Amino acid sequence: MASHLIQGRTVVMPVRVRDAEVCAAFYPVRADAARAVLAYSGLDVVEALPGKAVCALLFVDYRDGDLGAYHEFGMAFLVRRPGVTGSQQGLADLRQAGLFVHWLPVDQEFTLEAGRALWGFPKELADIDLRLRSPYKRCVLRKDGRLVLDLLIRPGVPAPGLTAMAPPDVYTHRDGVTRHLPWSVRVRGARARPGGALIRLGNHPIAKELSELGLPRRAMFTATISHAELVFGEAHAI
């Protein structure tokens, strides 16, 4: 069983999260702009519709796990898995797509260092204000004192199908290396709906990047998960 020393603490693989709440919004964005954003990774986006890629914005309350309790925000894209050839386009092909994590701010130092060292996650420190107790789920994200975004998600109807779906392959890129991250998830309390999100962008450079992708606009769909258990294995370079 592999172990790693992070800030004087031993982290044993696989890393387990025993309880987390997840909220996500999936947006159609300009495929050409998304390709420009991800050029550094060597991966290509999947086009859900001609000229449209998919950008996922998610926020997570990690309540109990091996890396402690913390808040996280993620900006990711659905991508073609390495080695997949041919034209992978259309909504039916999204189930074969992987998920490339482009930006992953957190609000705690330990998970920042662990995420970078163990998996190559693009973690940065940020102020992540999660408001999850009301019927609407809200994330107000600030970085370096500047507003990145204010994202509001309205939970939809129960979606038991989400609990049976296999999680997408996850990819990261750091220090010139693109990595594949094996992981698994168990879900309870999943809800989903078309649309269901309201987003306001701030004046941070990431907000400008989202604007160039075509946001704000209507989300394709949103999903919320009241209880998720996750397991993260050793990442490997591809």
Side-chain angles (χ1 to χ4, degrees), residues 58-60 69-75 103-113 116 122-130 139-149 204-206:
L58 59 144
F59 48 94
V60 186
Y70 62 97
H71 293 163
E72 179 177 271
F73 180 86
M75 176 182 175
W103 193 52
L104 198 68
V106 294
D107 67 350
Q108 298 295 325
E109 287 274 6
F110 183 75
T111 186
L112 179 145
E113 184 172 336
R116 288 178 173 181
K123 290 193 173 185
E124 300 180 11
L125 279 182
D127 178 9
I128 306 172
D129 180 9
L130 299 188
C139 173
V140 181
L141 173 63
R142 291 181 171 86
K143 170 71 174 164
D144 301 325
R146 300 166 70 178
L147 178 68
V148 179
L149 57 78
H204 187 272
I206 291 292

Side-chain angles (χ1 to χ4, degrees), residues 49-202:
L49 299 167
K52 295 295 182 183
V54 178
C55 177
L57 302 180
L58 59 144
F59 48 94
V60 186
D61 180 13
Y62 288 96
R63 296 185 285 238
D64 180 21
D66 292 348
L67 302 184
Y70 62 97
H71 293 163
E72 179 177 271
F73 180 86
M75 176 182 175
F77 294 85
L78 294 185
V79 295
R80 185 179 304 189
R81 291 177 297 171
V84 173
T85 58
S87 176
Q88 186 176 349
Q89 295 185 11
L91 294 174
D93 289 319
L94 292 181
R95 63 180 179 273
Q96 303 177 38
L99 190 70
F100 179 78
V101 182
H102 172 60
W103 193 52
L104 198 68
V106 294
D107 67 350
Q108 298 295 325
E109 287 274 6
F110 183 75
T111 186
L112 179 145
E113 184 172 336
R116 288 178 173 181
L118 301 180
W119 303 292
F121 276 128
K123 290 193 173 185
E124 300 180 11
L125 279 182
D127 178 9
I128 306 172
D129 180 9
L130 299 188
R131 306 173 190 181
L132 305 176
R133 302 301 168 223
S134 68
Y136 294 88
K137 311 300 182 181
R138 186 179 182 186
C139 173
V140 181
L141 173 63
R142 291 181 171 86
K143 170 71 174 164
D144 301 325
R146 300 166 70 178
L147 178 68
V148 179
L149 57 78
D150 184 345
L151 178 59
L152 187 74
I153 291 179
R154 180 182 178 185
V157 299
L162 285 179
T163 65
M165 290 178 60
D169 289 346
V170 168
Y171 302 95
T172 66
H173 183 93
R174 183 170 175 79
D175 299 328
V177 178
T178 299
R179 299 170 176 84
H180 171 249
L181 167 60
W183 72 301
S184 62
V185 60
R186 295 175 58 188
V187 169
R188 295 202 313 269
R191 292 178 172 268
R193 59 173 293 158
L198 180 65
I199 187 170
R200 177 172 65 94
L201 299 180

